Amino acid sequence: MVQEILCSKLTMFTHHRRPRILQSLQVRRYQVTGVFMKNWDSLDEHGVCTADRDCEDAYRVCQILDIPFHQVSYVREYWNDVFSDFLNEYEKGRTPNPDIICNKHIKFSCFFHYAMDNLGADAVATGHYARTSQEDEEVFQQKHIKRPEGLFRNRFEVRDAVKLLQAADSFKDQTFFLSQVPQDALRRTLFPLGGLTKDFVKKIAAENRLHHVLQKKESMGICFVGKRNFENFILQYLQPRPGKFISIEDNKVLGTHQGWFLYTLGQRANIGGLREPWYVVEKDSAKGDVFVAPRTDHPALYRDLLRTNRVHWIAEEPPFTLVRDKMMECQFRFRHQMALVPCVLTLNQDGTVWVTAVKAVRALALGQFAVFYKGDECLGSGKILRLGPSAYTLQKGKTKSTVATEGSGDGPGSGPKL
């Protein structure tokens, strides 16, 4: 068994500045190949392609560690499967998460199959801060098992499903972004950083002379936007749709904007001429108006009910308790690093779920992903397609039995009464 692991071939992708895990794999004496994945053509303020610069850094790492280096481009696939979805979601007034979509369609689909089929890899390693329920040795024993396409697959078709677990460094944990990863890819993936802290990883990099990597800044925000103004960037691809900023409290017009799709709930609205901050609380897609409130903790920002599309369950689809009882207690978050919120899931026949939070949460928005957890395990996620009424709406008595939706009837079925 040990000899089998030592001779195993493993491919690691170095996109997004994660070459530091290579040396930890070499310590375990795997046969490692580094691969740089380019997903976006972009220039910085000096006209230099940032992807080319990152590729050079990755190549230097492979030279220092004396391992093979490959590069692959998924610019077209990223545009079709990630960026086009990003624009379509914004045009509908939603708040997409391109990082989750990229992991699903590009890193753990296109790249994963390239590593398996073209490079003959036995496993893939990434720099995500996450863990799984299987030992490294078990990864190399996995064989390809095609996941059934049915809504509720036979629970005996895939035995010993691999669970996605939170990283030891809870602050750096990235399971949120991996919540749509397919089981087949997860079974053959290593997360060498999952049990380490960021400081310890930096120490390993320094000991292996990877100082040029240590000097690089953390990648934050949406990679293809970079340092550019977000509104200007979006308006390069979507036509402006001028509308009004309206106070949620008295319907007074406070200013104008270039498009209701540019704003997400909870965001501060930059309204010219007003000294006090106002925050986006509602959007009217028909008229193009954005409703705002004068406080960051205004009750119009708080909701305790949402409905997702069909949930992607990572290990067990759906969890046995949820199938048996039609309800299940767990926790969820809809932004990376936000505190987990206790909730109750209600399963619908089409695989969608209603999520009822134990207490109202701030700034839920359509298009975001509700990511579910139970203990250390990340169960999976679903895109938010419907929202319940805000605390402000309930206080005003405007609606007590209907569910606020985007457009007309987005999301099938009906939910629990409010």
Side-chain angles (χ1 to χ4, degrees):
M1 175 54 66
V2 174
Q3 291 300 317
E4 198 174 321
I5 296 170
L6 296 181
C7 295
S8 295
K9 183 176 180 181
L10 182 144
T11 300
M12 177 267 170
F13 72 78
T14 60
H15 176 64
H16 271 206
R17 304 169 185 163
R18 292 196 178 106
R20 282 173 256 175
I21 72 169
L22 284 165
Q23 66 272 24
S24 68
L25 294 170
Q26 280 194 312
V27 169
R28 303 179 202 183
R29 302 190 67 183
Y30 294 135
Q31 181 185 342
V32 182
T33 297
V35 181
F36 179 81
M37 183 171 61
K38 181 179 180 180
N39 293 336
W40 186 262
D41 280 319
S42 63
L43 302 178
D44 64 14
E45 60 273 17
H46 303 296
V48 178
C49 180
T50 55
D52 291 343
R53 194 164 49 201
D54 289 341
C55 185
E56 291 176 6
D57 289 337
Y59 177 64
R60 285 179 61 190
V61 170
C62 291
Q63 281 187 313
I64 292 172
L65 299 178
D66 191 26
I67 63 172
F69 174 78
H70 295 265
Q71 53 183 309
V72 62
S73 174
Y74 292 118
V75 172
R76 182 182 63 181
E77 291 85 350
Y78 190 91
W79 181 279
N80 292 335
D81 295 331
V82 181
F83 188 64
S84 293
D85 174 80
F86 174 83
L87 294 178
N88 290 336
E89 290 289 283
Y90 261 102
E91 199 164 26
K92 295 175 182 177
R94 297 175 180 170
T95 304
N97 192 310
D99 291 326
I100 291 178
I101 300 300
C102 177
N103 281 326
K104 177 180 181 178
H105 292 295
I106 308 300
K107 296 178 185 176
F108 290 90
S109 181
C110 294
F111 172 77
F112 175 78
H113 290 107
Y114 167 80
M116 298 295 127
D117 301 335
N118 293 65
L119 299 182
D122 296 306
V124 167
T126 85
H128 293 97
Y129 282 83
R131 298 178 297 125
T132 70
S133 57
Q134 63 182 352
E135 299 294 331
D136 290 355
E137 291 84 355
E138 296 177 280
V139 175
F140 294 98
Q141 300 171 17
Q142 298 293 341
K143 296 181 180 179
H144 175 74
I145 302 175
K146 183 174 175 58
R147 186 161 181 155
E149 298 296 332
L151 181 59
F152 296 160
R153 61 178 168 82
N154 186 320
R155 295 175 184 280
F156 299 99
E157 290 183 13
V158 178
R159 297 179 183 274
D160 302 321
V162 175
K163 298 178 181 179
L164 178 64
L165 307 176
Q166 295 187 75
D169 188 336
S170 58
F171 181 75
K172 292 296 296 182
D173 175 65
Q174 293 175 305
T175 53
F176 179 86
F177 300 114
L178 300 171
S179 60
Q180 288 274 314
V181 170
Q183 174 70 197
D184 185 51
L186 191 65
R187 299 177 76 87
R188 302 178 72 177
T189 298
L190 298 177
F191 298 112
L193 305 188
L196 308 178
T197 63
K198 182 72 172 183
D199 290 340
F200 190 72
V201 172
K202 289 182 177 180
K203 181 181 177 182
I204 296 175
E207 291 173 349
N208 286 268
R209 300 175 289 121
L210 304 181
H211 302 291
H212 69 290
V213 177
L214 285 170
Q215 295 168 1
K216 297 176 75 72
K217 293 182 178 179
E218 291 279 332
S219 55
M220 303 293 287
I222 301 174
C223 61
F224 48 77
V225 177
K227 298 179 180 179
R228 289 171 288 190
N229 176 274
F230 181 76
E231 182 172 326
N232 293 341
F233 176 81
I234 290 294
L235 290 178
Q236 292 178 23
Y237 300 94
L238 301 180
Q239 289 295 320
R241 298 181 188 175
K244 300 184 289 289
F245 284 117
I246 300 176
S247 169
I248 192 72
E249 295 185 338
D250 57 13
N251 288 324
K252 179 181 178 181
V253 176
L254 303 175
T256 60
H257 58 77
Q258 291 299 303
W260 64 284
F261 53 82
L262 295 169
Y263 299 90
T264 188
L265 301 194
Q267 175 184 346
R268 180 171 175 173
N270 295 318
I271 305 175
L274 297 184
R275 301 176 64 180
E276 297 298 321
W278 287 72
Y279 299 89
V280 177
V281 296
E282 296 278 0
K283 297 189 292 185
D284 186 333
S285 60
K287 297 181 179 179
D289 294 331
V290 175
F291 290 89
V292 293
R295 302 192 317 275
T296 185
D297 61 347
H298 194 281
L301 281 168
Y302 287 82
R303 290 176 167 81
D304 63 3
L305 181 65
L306 64 92
R307 184 172 181 167
T308 71
N309 65 352
R310 177 184 168 183
V311 175
H312 169 75
W313 301 105
I314 294 172
E316 189 180 16
E317 185 174 353
F320 174 73
T321 301
L322 186 57
V323 173
R324 182 190 64 194
D325 302 334
K326 306 303 179 186
M327 301 179 71
M328 183 179 76
E329 294 183 356
C330 63
Q331 296 174 305
F332 85 106
R333 59 166 55 107
F334 53 93
R335 288 192 302 272
H336 180 224
Q337 294 183 333
M338 72 171 284
L340 289 170
V341 179
C343 65
V344 176
L345 305 185
T346 304
L347 180 65
N348 301 307
Q349 290 185 348
D350 57 2
T352 65
V353 297
W354 284 99
V355 183
T356 304
V358 171
K359 64 177 182 178
V361 291
R362 183 184 183 276
L364 282 169
L366 298 169
Q368 293 173 320
F369 280 85
V371 182
F372 306 114
Y373 293 83
K374 206 167 182 63
D376 283 342
E377 182 183 358
C378 176
L379 302 173
S381 64
K383 184 190 297 183
I384 301 173
L385 293 184
R386 303 184 72 177
L387 297 176
S390 70
Y392 181 73
T393 298
L394 293 175
Q395 289 172 8
K396 297 288 287 186
K398 292 179 180 178
T399 303
K400 290 189 177 181
S401 60
T402 61
V403 174
T405 68
E406 157 210 47
S408 58
D410 193 5
S414 59
K417 294 182 179 180
L418 301 173

